[in-house]
Amino acid sequence: MARVIPDDPVDVLIVDDDPLVRAGLTMMLGGTPDIRVVAEAGDGAEVLPLVARYAPDVVLMDIRMPGMDGLAATEALRAGERAPQVIVLTTFDADRHVLRALRAGAAGFLLKDTPPEEIVAAVRMVAQGRPVLSPEVTRRLIARVADSDHDRRRERAMARLALLNDRERDVAVAVGQGRSNAEIGAVLHLALPTVKTHVSNILTKLDLNNRVQIALLAHDAGLVD
């Protein structure tokens, strides 16, 4: 069956200080019928004005740029209302940076050598509100980060989780364990719509953007091995 092309394509802003990277991403995404590159930026300082002008659905954000880096730009962007989804472009040696971006509300990350079809799929996923960072990768990143602020971070996380009722807390822990909604329902003996409602309530009560942030919070609180 042919893919149905939506009436409104996914609008993308590409942020990278390397003109060749920007050109490659623009050419690749521009050849996809349901994705449209609306603007490019070479520095994080350009992001907020371009987002205000073009209202992209997704921002592909490099981390290392000579002016404002992608982490600061992501934090500034996600702090605003109706912010676009952010996918961070990174490398394996940037785990600490990736974790900071995820805490700021980025929808996930991609390596710069990710195959083109996977980048296209990731843009579509985050435009639908689905993070592109799997819980397994989240746990691997967390495990590799030496956190000198561990005790205070745990106290803050526990205080936030105290806003949840017992069932919502159980669901949050299950999300942190990398379980899908169906798996959570099976383990906690809940119907799938009920699980989805709990996840939605958790995001709302804790002012989080996606499941990745739920997983990070559960880990910070010491509730996930």
Side-chain angles (χ1 to χ4, degrees):
M1 181 179 296
R3 174 178 169 80
V4 177
I5 305 303
D7 294 334
D8 297 321
V10 177
D11 288 343
V12 177
L13 167 63
I14 296 173
V15 186
D16 197 295
D17 64 325
D18 188 334
L20 292 178
V21 172
R22 295 201 306 271
L25 289 170
T26 298
M27 183 178 299
M28 177 187 64
L29 296 175
T32 305
D34 58 338
I35 298 175
R36 176 174 59 193
V37 177
V38 295
E40 300 177 19
D43 188 277
E46 302 173 52
V47 171
L48 290 181
L50 287 174
V51 166
R53 179 176 180 181
Y54 293 102
D57 302 298
V58 177
V59 178
L60 287 177
M61 184 86 74
D62 186 23
I63 286 183
R64 293 168 179 161
M65 290 179 283
M68 176 184 283
D69 65 32
L71 298 174
T74 297
E75 290 169 343
L77 183 60
R78 293 300 301 176
E81 296 182 359
R82 304 182 66 179
Q85 299 291 344
V86 177
I87 300 176
V88 174
L89 297 170
T90 185
T91 57
F92 273 129
D93 63 352
D95 288 354
R96 182 181 298 276
H97 295 158
V98 171
L99 193 59
R100 176 180 160 192
L102 295 175
R103 293 191 192 283
F109 80 98
L110 293 173
L111 301 178
K112 287 193 175 182
D113 59 356
T114 299
E117 63 275 12
E118 293 184 19
I119 294 179
V120 170
V123 169
R124 289 173 179 150
M125 286 178 64
V126 300
Q128 298 169 3
R130 300 161 56 197
V132 297
L133 183 65
S134 71
E136 291 80 7
V137 174
T138 302
R139 288 199 301 271
R140 189 168 73 245
L141 285 172
I142 292 169
R144 292 176 61 181
V145 174
D147 191 356
S148 60
D149 183 46
H150 182 269
D151 290 339
R152 282 183 296 168
R153 192 180 296 279
R154 173 173 289 195
E155 290 177 3
R156 291 194 297 267
M158 290 296 293
R160 294 188 69 187
L161 289 174
L163 298 173
L164 306 178
N165 61 40
D166 290 343
R167 184 53 84 189
E168 289 166 347
R169 181 186 171 102
D170 291 340
V171 171
V173 172
V175 170
Q177 292 169 337
R179 301 184 188 276
S180 67
N181 284 347
E183 291 169 336
I184 294 172
V187 170
L188 299 180
H189 307 291
L190 299 172
L192 186 57
T194 303
V195 174
K196 292 180 179 179
T197 297
H198 283 316
V199 171
S200 179
N201 289 342
I202 293 167
L203 294 172
T204 299
K205 285 185 176 182
L206 302 184
D207 193 25
L208 301 176
N209 295 293
N210 53 51
R211 295 171 71 98
V212 174
Q213 289 187 311
I214 296 176
L216 290 172
L217 194 62
H219 178 273
D220 286 346
L223 302 179
V224 180
D225 293 333

